[in-house]
Amino acid sequence: LAHNKTLQSALLEREIAQGRITEAYGQALPTLSAQGTAARLDPAPAGGAGGTDGDPFTRYSAGLQLRQPLYRGGAIGAALTASRLYAFWADALIRGQTQEILYQTALTFYQVLLADRLQAAAAASLASADAQRQTALNRAAEGAASRYDVLRAEVAAANAQADLIQQQNSLRLARHRLARLLGVLADPALAVAGELTFEPAAPRLADTLRTAHQN
């Protein structure tokens, strides 16, 4: 939950929602602006027109302006309501993303365990097929087996080899999916420990509906 990229993206929606609420309140709050000016008046040159006859001086002015919106046709209230609804939606999105990530992580974890067991089974099947192929070759050399028996054993060994490669790829993909969900780098040396156990379930409709309503 701390490193999943999808959940981190969803968490940003909460900050966006808070910003929208602040923006909506900003439409109702007063605004204060200030301004100031300074003008330097120099004396006119000798014999010239304009300016002043004495020493130069500077004229200053400053002002403050306060604005308070009183009524904007209900736009302020509507903006506040919309921003709060967006915040509720963001919280619901985060809860949904959290539950989905927990489910997907558990599912992918067991997919890794299953792929690891299937790879071990495929490796054992390939070893058995290779042994049968070698037996067929030995029997053929002694005249106790036909060329057809040898070809059939070789085809079985080739199929077992292809199945092992497929299971290896499935395991590699499952490990990459698990690493992506966890938000970590996929490490081939990382061991995934666990057991595949079958627990028969007999769900009751009332309990299932209660769990659904609670979540």
Side-chain angles (χ1 to χ4, degrees):
L1 295 179
H3 302 285
N4 182 270
K5 303 303 181 184
T6 303
L7 183 58
Q8 289 179 352
S9 176
L11 289 174
L12 294 178
E13 294 291 342
R14 181 174 292 167
E15 299 183 12
I16 296 175
Q18 187 60 42
R20 289 193 176 187
I21 294 177
T22 303
E23 180 183 6
Y25 274 112
Q27 300 182 24
L29 296 177
T31 58
L32 179 65
S33 60
Q35 61 180 1
T37 59
R40 179 180 174 84
L41 302 178
D42 293 328
T52 60
D53 296 332
D55 295 332
F57 66 93
T58 304
R59 180 179 300 166
Y60 300 95
S61 66
L64 290 175
Q65 186 179 57
L66 177 66
R67 291 185 177 183
Q68 173 62 58
L70 300 179
Y71 181 70
R72 288 184 176 176
I76 297 176
L80 287 173
T81 301
S83 61
R84 292 192 183 100
L85 290 176
Y86 185 84
F88 293 150
W89 173 84
D91 289 339
L93 174 67
I94 292 172
R95 287 195 299 270
Q97 289 286 356
T98 301
Q99 295 173 1
E100 179 66 18
I101 289 168
L102 290 174
Y103 167 73
Q104 290 296 334
T105 303
L107 175 64
T108 307
F109 170 76
Y110 285 111
Q111 287 176 344
V112 171
L113 293 182
L114 177 60
D116 185 64
R117 302 302 189 275
L118 292 177
Q119 176 183 271
S125 177
L126 176 60
S128 176
D130 283 337
Q132 293 179 10
R133 180 177 60 85
Q134 187 60 45
T135 300
L137 289 174
N138 295 337
R139 287 168 56 88
E142 296 174 357
S146 64
R147 180 58 181 168
Y148 172 78
D149 295 330
V150 174
L151 290 176
R152 185 172 60 180
E154 290 177 346
V155 170
N159 290 336
Q161 177 68 35
D163 184 59
L164 176 60
I165 294 175
Q166 181 179 359
Q167 297 303 332
Q168 289 173 342
N169 290 336
S170 297
L171 176 60
R172 188 179 301 110
L173 291 175
R175 291 175 65 91
H176 277 286
R177 285 196 301 269
L178 181 60
R180 179 174 54 83
L181 286 169
L182 296 177
V184 299
L185 295 177
D187 186 2
L190 182 64
V192 180
E195 295 295 333
L196 285 174
T197 58
F198 173 70
E199 297 178 1
R204 298 176 60 239
L205 179 60
D207 297 337
T208 304
L209 290 177
R210 187 182 306 109
T211 303
H213 284 298
Q214 290 175 352
N215 294 276

